[in-house]
Amino acid sequence: MRETTEYFTEDMDIRQIAASGQCFRMQERKEGLFSLIAGERYLEIQCLEKGKFIFFCSNQEFQEFWYNYFDFGQDYGALKKKVDPKDVYLKNAVEFGWGIRILRQDLWEMMITFILSQQNNIPRIQRCVRLLCENYGRKKVNFRGEEYFSFPSPNKLAEADLEGLKACNLGYRARYIQETALAVAEETVSLEALKKMTYEDARKELMKLCGIGKKVADCICLFALHHVEAFPIDTHIAQILAAHYPDGFPFLQYPGFAGILQQYMFYYDLHGKAE
DNA sequence: GACCAGGGCCGGC
DNA sequence: GCCGGCCCTGGT
């Protein structure tokens, strides 16, 4: 009998998270059943009814890894209540994407993934990541006996030639991936050091790498290092700011967690087009 | 089929 | 600091 772990939270919708553009290896296998590959791990989650989830892993693995991965230590309900009720746009965005959480994903994986994300669309980003894993990751087998591929290590990508990377459909980003992989493999930039830095220091350090500018650095800070004050400004957010916050976003009202609100706004802009 | 934009950044000025 | 250019794909 396969081990499972039940968890209850009203502040999570896996479908929304999968479509939120923060992770690109989560998909719905069938109605309410999601699979996810993170680093070396494979997980499935079943949503039984609103708020009730079955994790297909042992209680130990849940406690040791997935609890933190899904940021269950954070009360998103309390956070959402802090939204200024007079801010109608933000209120609507949070209501629409109520089940979004900020996952605590692997640093290296997010560095590569968000280098790929630039000037790119979500279906193609997913394909790029999948091809990178299939070509350079390790082949593994999930509990169903199906094969899947782990995310490739820095050394593995540092050894890759440009041709091989371009075959993963990366386009001009292939060079960025190669140079960043080399810098990390040679420890010009240290992943472990990055994990200990403040937001400002980590952002600055990340931007030394080829293919990482302000926006990508902020995504890495937000989705891997969990510096939730990071507020990535991409084309969508720039348009939202211009339309709804001509005097600037009220960062002072949301000290230290504006990045979480950014994610609701981004998702609302992508999927909430009621016009 | 054309054309635009996509979770932007690099390199040359 | 300011552009032009960039691989390729989805959407219109």
Side-chain angles (χ1 to χ4, degrees):
Chain A
M1 181 72 183
R2 175 75 204 160
E3 278 189 283
T4 60
T5 302
E6 258 189 64
Y7 191 76
F8 183 87
T9 172
E10 292 195 337
D11 299 303
M12 179 163 80
D13 184 317
I14 306 284
R15 188 177 288 114
Q16 289 179 4
I17 293 176
S20 72
Q22 61 175 305
C23 75
F24 301 92
R25 303 193 78 191
M26 188 185 271
Q27 55 178 334
E28 193 161 11
R29 287 180 66 109
K30 57 182 185 181
E31 182 71 20
L33 179 66
F34 295 82
S35 67
L36 161 66
I37 306 169
E40 297 277 327
R41 295 170 193 266
Y42 177 90
L43 178 72
E44 289 186 20
I45 310 169
Q46 174 85 51
C47 180
L48 298 176
E49 54 196 80
K50 189 188 170 186
K52 195 171 177 186
F53 301 93
I54 304 286
F55 286 71
F56 288 78
C57 66
S58 69
N59 194 263
Q60 184 181 352
E61 184 180 354
F62 179 82
Q63 293 300 337
E64 288 179 358
F65 187 81
W66 297 111
Y67 182 91
N68 179 64
Y69 182 90
F70 284 94
D71 200 25
F72 286 142
Q74 172 69 246
D75 182 353
Y76 281 72
L79 216 99
K80 288 182 277 189
K81 284 186 191 139
K82 293 185 181 174
V83 171
D84 182 353
K86 294 195 295 290
D87 189 337
V88 176
Y89 176 78
L90 189 54
K91 209 162 60 74
N92 288 341
V94 169
E95 194 176 331
F96 182 79
W98 60 269
I100 304 241
R101 310 176 71 86
I102 306 294
L103 304 178
R104 294 174 181 257
Q105 301 184 76
D106 178 74
L107 174 58
W108 168 246
E109 188 167 341
M110 290 303 97
M111 287 167 63
I112 296 305
T113 299
F114 278 92
I115 289 174
L116 293 183
S117 77
Q118 65 191 73
Q119 198 63 23
N120 209 341
N121 52 57
I122 290 178
R124 186 177 166 205
I125 298 167
Q126 290 171 329
R127 188 161 59 252
C128 290
V129 172
R130 181 171 56 76
L131 288 170
L132 262 186
C133 293
E134 287 175 4
N135 291 337
Y136 298 103
R138 296 219 315 258
K139 187 188 286 189
K140 307 197 66 162
V141 178
N142 69 15
F143 65 83
R144 294 178 185 275
E146 303 163 346
E147 64 179 38
Y148 70 97
F149 293 86
S150 68
F151 196 85
S153 67
N155 286 332
K156 190 74 184 176
L157 288 185
E159 291 166 5
D161 58 34
L162 217 48
E163 296 287 305
L165 291 173
K166 283 193 170 159
C168 297
N169 213 4
L170 309 190
Y172 65 86
R173 304 165 197 81
R175 196 189 106 239
Y176 302 166
I177 299 296
Q178 186 178 53
E179 291 196 19
T180 290
L182 280 168
V184 171
E186 292 165 356
E187 293 196 63
T188 309
V189 165
S190 156
L191 299 181
E192 290 313 307
L194 274 168
K195 290 177 188 173
K196 293 176 188 149
M197 291 180 192
T198 62
Y199 163 55
E200 287 79 8
D201 289 347
R203 185 179 197 255
K204 206 180 301 175
E205 185 70 9
L206 284 165
M207 285 174 62
K208 291 179 183 169
L209 292 164
C210 186
I212 302 184
K214 289 180 189 174
K215 190 270 171 184
V216 170
D218 275 334
C219 282
I220 298 164
C221 284
L222 182 57
F223 300 131
L225 300 172
H226 208 72
H227 292 303
V228 290
E229 68 265 50
F231 191 89
I233 298 178
D234 73 319
T235 54
H236 295 274
I237 296 296
Q239 284 175 25
I240 291 167
L241 293 181
H244 301 279
Y245 301 95
D247 301 322
F249 188 76
F251 290 102
L252 294 178
Q253 271 187 267
Y254 310 108
F257 63 100
I260 301 179
L261 301 177
Q262 184 271 5
Q263 193 59 14
Y264 295 109
M265 289 158 57
F266 178 78
Y267 179 80
Y268 186 44
D269 196 64
L270 263 193
H271 301 289
K273 301 268 181 171
E275 292 306 307

